[in-house]
Amino acid sequence: MAEVPGPVLFARYAFPPNSHGFCGPPDSRGFFDLGVAGVDAELRTMARQFAGAWPYLQLIAAATGLDDPLDRRVVEAYWVGSPRLDLVGTHAVGDSMEERFRRVAGPGFGPLTGGVLAGGVPHHSFAVFCVYPYTGLLTDGRKAPHALTVLDRCRIRWGRVRSVEGDRVVVESRPLTWDGRWLRLGDARTETAVRSVDGIGLADPFRPGDWVALHWEWVCDRLTEAQVARLRRYTERHLAIVNERATGSVVPGILG
């Protein structure tokens, strides 16, 4: 199956949090429709409104010699993972964090730079685990269940399709778990995800056995086994950073 252009691929991954009002343009239905239609110019305009993701795309593109932040290779690197991420120098990531977050974070800026120095790269899992405030809420007994749910839904997770039922897909995936000390991937379990609305979706049809990427309650895209391995690698890399240090980010979580 032919590869979709970068702006369309971005829409597949960015629409789910946008539909919840967490990030991006206010017209989520319009964004969805443009993604389905593959309207390049309008998708590019809307992509710039994702205040969290867009600077990471710019950073990856600049560091790897690409002119377009929505080049498919850049988009895939940010959401799924790619060796390109390891070409982005620590200083470049740190400078980007400085520009974006020092004024907002104030005294809490130190933990953010700590994540970079510990090996963080501009992958979506870095933003979720090392920048957003939810890992810092896990130690609060009242807030921990909600924080864990947000962390699990907000990250890009991988799973295998077990069945397709109309607009829904039953997928086996590994949820995040929190035991009071360690944030880890748990045992596999099934979940039901959305692939389309009234038969209209952003991604191509899925079949049982397919590896897929999920974001919030949506299935975003089909993955190759190599892509699954990269997504797992970068997810586990940033989980390790969280588990090795106390993280208390104060950056607003809406910067998805």
Side-chain angles (χ1 to χ4, degrees):
M1 197 165 291
E3 291 186 341
V4 299
V8 175
L9 185 64
F10 179 82
R12 289 183 176 183
Y13 284 90
F15 170 73
N18 180 245
S19 70
H20 289 280
F22 293 141
C23 51
D27 183 10
S28 63
R29 180 67 204 200
F31 184 56
F32 177 87
D33 291 341
L34 290 171
V36 171
V39 183
D40 187 272
E42 287 86 348
L43 283 174
R44 289 179 177 275
T45 297
M46 285 189 156
R48 290 180 174 85
Q49 298 178 52
F50 285 82
W54 184 252
Y56 289 117
L57 299 177
Q58 291 179 305
L59 178 62
I60 297 166
T64 60
L66 297 172
D67 296 328
D68 182 9
L70 288 175
D71 184 296
R72 181 189 169 88
R73 293 166 290 181
V74 174
V75 175
E76 180 179 335
Y78 174 68
W79 292 114
V80 177
S82 161
R84 288 181 174 274
L85 296 178
D86 297 309
L87 300 177
V88 184
T90 300
H91 287 297
V93 181
D95 289 346
S96 176
M97 302 294 287
E98 173 97 18
E99 179 181 344
R100 298 170 64 192
F101 299 130
R102 178 175 284 281
R103 184 176 299 179
V104 177
F109 186 69
L112 299 182
T113 57
V116 177
L117 295 174
V121 294
H123 184 262
H124 184 63
S125 63
F126 171 74
V128 173
F129 297 143
C130 302
V131 177
Y132 296 173
Y134 296 100
T135 49
L137 299 177
L138 289 173
T139 55
D140 184 325
R142 296 172 302 166
K143 298 178 180 178
H146 174 68
L148 182 63
T149 297
V150 173
L151 288 167
D152 196 41
R153 300 289 96 180
C154 190
R155 72 184 176 103
I156 306 302
R157 56 200 192 279
W158 60 93
R160 199 152 206 174
V161 175
R162 293 308 179 198
S163 64
V164 179
E165 303 169 358
D167 288 330
R168 301 290 187 268
V169 180
V170 177
V171 180
E172 186 176 84
S173 63
R174 297 177 64 187
L176 286 179
T177 64
W178 169 250
D179 64 5
R181 181 176 180 183
W182 303 106
L183 187 62
R184 292 172 168 152
L185 294 171
D187 295 333
R189 69 181 184 190
T190 58
E191 60 175 298
T192 300
V194 180
R195 74 172 183 90
S196 57
V197 177
D198 295 329
I200 299 174
L202 288 163
D204 297 319
F206 302 107
R207 298 183 299 272
D210 285 343
W211 284 104
V212 293
L214 302 104
H215 199 188
W216 289 90
E217 72 273 29
W218 283 79
V219 185
C220 304
D221 199 16
R222 182 181 294 108
L223 298 177
T224 66
E225 290 192 3
Q227 288 174 315
V228 171
R230 290 194 291 271
L231 179 55
R232 180 185 292 113
R233 172 191 167 196
Y234 288 105
T235 298
E236 292 179 343
R237 178 174 183 165
H238 295 118
L239 281 174
I241 292 173
V242 169
N243 286 325
E244 288 169 3
R245 65 184 178 86
T247 301
S249 171
V250 296
V251 177
I254 58 172
L255 296 182

